[in-house]
Amino acid sequence: MKVLVAVKRVVDYNVKVRPKADGSDVDTANVKMSINPFCEIAVEEAVRLKEKGVVSEIVAVSMGPKQCQEQIRTALALGADRGILVETDAELQPLAVAKCLKAIVEKEEPQLVILGKQSIDGDNNQTGQMLGALTGMGQGTFASEVTVEGEKVKVTREIDGGLQTLELKLPAIVTTDLRLNEPRYASLPNIMKAKKKPLDTTTPDELGVDIAPRTKTLKVEPPAERKAGVKVESVDELVDKLKNEAKVI
Amino acid sequence: MSILVIAEHDNAEIKGATLNTIAAAKAIGDDIHLLVAGANCAAASEAAAKIEGVSKVLVADNAAYEHQLAENVAKLVADLGKDYSHILAPATTTGKNMLPRAAALLDVQPISDIIAVEAADTFKRPIYAGNVIATVQSSDTIKVVTVRATAFDPVAAEGGSAAVESVTIVEDAGVSTFVGEELAASDRPELTSARVIVSGGRGMQSGENFEMLYKLADKLGAAVGASRAAVDAGFVPNDMQVGQTGKIVAPDLYIAVGISGAIQHLAGMKDSKVIVAINKDEEAPIFSVADYGLVDDLFKVIPEFETKL
Ligand SMILES: Cc1cc2nc3c(=O)[nH]c(=O)nc-3n(C[C@H](O)[C@H](O)[C@H](O)COP(=O)(O)OP(=O)(O)OC[C@H]3O[C@@H](n4cnc5c(N)ncnc54)[C@H](O)[C@@H]3O)c2cc1C
Ligand SMILES: Cc1cc2nc3c(=O)[nH]c(=O)nc-3n(C[C@H](O)[C@H](O)[C@H](O)COP(=O)(O)OP(=O)(O)OC[C@H]3O[C@@H](n4cnc5c(N)ncnc54)[C@H](O)[C@@H]3O)c2cc1C
């Protein structure tokens, strides 16, 4: 069966971003960009399913500017077979991303679509669920275990109270949580091979998708800073401070 | 302008985050309806009707909603939500799973995890692991929003007397089934509502060593949390993870033990009122947000701390 994996280009998780001085946007000039960590886990899961013989083809999709090709190449180096870039320089909101993905799902007819549960820039945690609504597919979000069994997929989900297991009819959507797997590193030969794998480009227009934003960011600002505290020398002093100064115990 | 709030519950009780979500709804408008979708959920519905500030409780009591399957509940919420100006749910794993799906059915771009209401169409929300706060305005006719519970003081669970109306719509998409659940059983308070939290990181070295923290927590009436590293290493289960991709907490007192203070961890706890850090590395970034820092070996400090309480 075919798997579609969504990979997003984001500011690397080691970078501490700051708002621009005028508060209009986040300053992302010259910062390191990477594949969203959750999307890397999504690619890894697809590759493992392929290695188990469950999956025959992995298609990696990204939406955004031309540079997203880098993240698609990363996915190809990790084991995806071909890539699709939906190219646009416009800001994409999750609803628009989900609509583009739906158009691609209709063309490619994958049995499984794997996305990250959230991206570490927007932190929205929406796209997979919205794609589920638009395609009518069942969704296994925040997955920590995925098993394909015939016409069904069993998904164990990380929920607030612990773990929940669902069974979904295929085709279905899975969004990855951190403990689903530990992604491999791409080897140099695989990075070289990835350069030759097919990568098609399309646009939201060609897919017939209206990507007009529905929300507007009025301003961005740094969060309230905490005041630096004090170091205590002993447990006695700590207990005393908590009791008599902070009055929290 | 009526607001539909989706209650989080287990068919018997209303979960605390619902009360914080209603508080956010009150900052928007005052005709607040609460949807209780479940199965055999009469007890939860009765409790819902007593919540302060709720004018109507809608009860959808059907087997299709028993386990809060997103496919079914989202359809119900989209059916009912058409008549509202706002739809709100707590930003818990249940709310985050279901609400974006309902929003897409309504062709709405939802707004996740708000921490403040600026106007009926404008909200603040953290992005980039809380390093940046964005003010976002929605142009959709219906605003679909998840609410970060720690940012709003809960309304009272008692004192209201809402009308209860039953909803007969049954949405069963038939694409998903519930197989099972492993819920952590604990006598300690829940992480997201605890007044005090003791949290352990990789520095704890093993699951057995967490016993020290449980003992300390029991003396303090505290919940126990963990860093991702502690969860990944298998010391403790996933529901204990605090951080950008785990639970967001803001207790009166947060005690971080053997946690370095990575931004992804800070994103989940830096709004706590008082933060204590216990770490043997005086350079650990956790000290930059701690009100009280103790630079020492946790294996020495924790047993002593416990006996001195
Ligand atoms: C400061 C700031 C201002 C912004 N302003 C605007 C604005 O004015 N207008 C605007 O339209 N947007 C704006 N954005 C972008 C927007 O907020 C989100 O970052 C973006 O819509 C995607 O949301 P998400 O990635 O958090 O979705 P999530 O739902 O968290 O993503 C989950 C998963 O969906 C998949 N996915 C998501 N996006 C893509 C993609 N492009 N390609 C492939 N897979 C994808 C990935 O698998 C990802 O792991 C702004 C962002 C920031 C940080
Ligand atoms: C996409 C993404 C999402 C993430 N989400 C989260 C999240 O939600 N929550 C989260 O916590 N992390 C998250 N992380 C991981 C985060 O980046 C850190 O790796 C993690 O928080 C580190 O955990 P730690 O502080 O326990 O471990 P470490 O960084 O290894 O720190 C251990 C600390 O213990 C101290 N120590 C060791 N022994 C002792 C001793 N005997 N006495 C006293 N102190 C001692 C050390 O000095 C050190 O400071 C995420 C990462 C990514 C990439």
Side-chain angles (χ1 to χ4, degrees), chain A residues 6-212:
Chain A
V7 296
K8 189 180 177 192
R9 175 183 174 86
V10 299
V11 171
D12 188 84
Y13 79 92
N14 280 314
V15 175
K16 190 169 180 211
V17 299
R18 291 196 170 75
K20 287 183 184 161
D22 65 359
S24 61
D25 201 349
V26 174
D27 194 354
T28 54
N30 305 318
V31 303
K32 181 173 177 218
M33 303 296 285
S34 294
I35 182 170
N36 180 39
F38 290 95
C39 300
E40 206 172 354
I41 295 171
V43 175
E44 176 67 29
E45 196 61 17
V47 174
R48 290 189 188 188
L49 288 170
K50 193 173 173 192
E51 287 168 347
K52 280 189 198 139
V54 179
V55 161
S56 49
E57 189 184 24
I58 303 167
V59 183
V61 190
S62 192
M63 276 136 281
K66 196 172 215 84
Q67 296 89 318
C68 294
Q69 285 184 359
E70 294 164 21
Q71 282 63 45
I72 296 178
R73 292 287 173 206
T74 306
L76 297 174
L78 291 171
D81 296 294
R82 61 189 170 89
I84 302 174
L85 168 63
V86 183
E87 192 177 333
T88 171
D89 287 328
E91 295 254 26
L92 283 170
Q93 297 182 343
L95 180 62
V97 173
K99 286 179 180 177
C100 291
L101 284 172
K102 176 189 182 232
I104 292 184
V105 164
E106 282 171 353
K107 278 199 188 144
E108 297 282 342
E109 300 184 332
Q111 286 296 95
L112 202 57
V113 186
I114 314 183
L115 305 88
K117 82 162 174 180
Q118 83 194 59
S119 52
I120 58 164
D121 53 357
D123 279 336
N124 279 305
N125 195 333
Q126 298 173 346
T127 308
Q129 296 87 313
M130 297 178 92
L131 180 62
L134 301 177
T135 57
M137 291 185 206
Q139 67 187 49
T141 55
F142 328 146
S144 63
E145 202 179 329
V146 174
T147 329
V148 177
E149 294 169 347
E151 296 299 296
K152 290 189 172 142
V153 58
K154 215 183 202 176
V155 181
T156 300
R157 311 178 50 233
E158 295 202 355
I159 59 171
D160 288 337
L163 297 170
Q164 180 191 60
T165 303
L166 300 178
E167 202 168 71
L168 309 171
K169 278 190 192 156
L170 295 176
I173 288 165
V174 167
T175 78
T176 61
D177 216 317
L178 293 168
R179 280 165 285 275
L180 181 57
N181 59 51
E182 222 175 289
R184 69 196 65 193
Y185 291 97
S187 66
L188 197 57
N190 284 343
I191 294 173
M192 300 313 287
K193 262 194 254 165
K195 293 188 177 158
K196 301 206 184 72
K197 290 185 180 175
L199 198 173
D200 293 328
T201 300
T202 179
T203 63
D205 256 0
E206 279 173 18
L207 295 173
V209 175
D210 171 12
I211 57 164

Side-chain angles (χ1 to χ4, degrees), chain A residues 13 37-38 120 178, chain B residues 201-203 227-229 241-246 258-262 264-265 279-281 284 296-299:
Chain A
Y13 79 92
F38 290 95
I120 58 164
L178 293 168
Chain B
R202 197 193 321 258
S227 71
R228 174 188 170 186
Q241 181 178 318
V242 171
Q244 179 189 17
T245 54
I259 292 178
S260 61
Q264 294 88 359
H265 188 80
N279 196 308
K280 67 178 179 191
D281 172 12
D296 207 343
D297 183 353
L298 70 91
F299 293 100

Side-chain angles (χ1 to χ4, degrees), chain A residues 95 99 121 124 126 129 137 139 141 160 163 165 167 179 214 216 218-219 221 226 230 232 245, chain B residues 71 97 101 107 109 112 124 133 135 137 139-140 177 180 182 241 247 270 272 291-293:
Chain A
L95 180 62
K99 286 179 180 177
D121 53 357
N124 279 305
Q126 298 173 346
Q129 296 87 313
M137 291 185 206
Q139 67 187 49
T141 55
D160 288 337
L163 297 170
T165 303
E167 202 168 71
R179 280 165 285 275
R214 306 296 187 80
K216 197 166 127 195
L218 301 181
K219 79 170 173 206
E221 60 198 316
R226 284 191 80 90
V230 296
V232 294
E245 192 175 89
Chain B
E71 297 80 1
N97 183 41
R101 190 167 175 121
D107 195 32
Q109 170 58 51
S112 295
K124 287 193 183 214
I133 308 296
T135 305
Q137 185 177 39
S139 58
D140 283 310
T177 39
E182 274 174 59
Q241 181 178 318
K247 290 198 172 101
K270 71 180 175 195
S272 306
D291 300 281
Y292 303 110

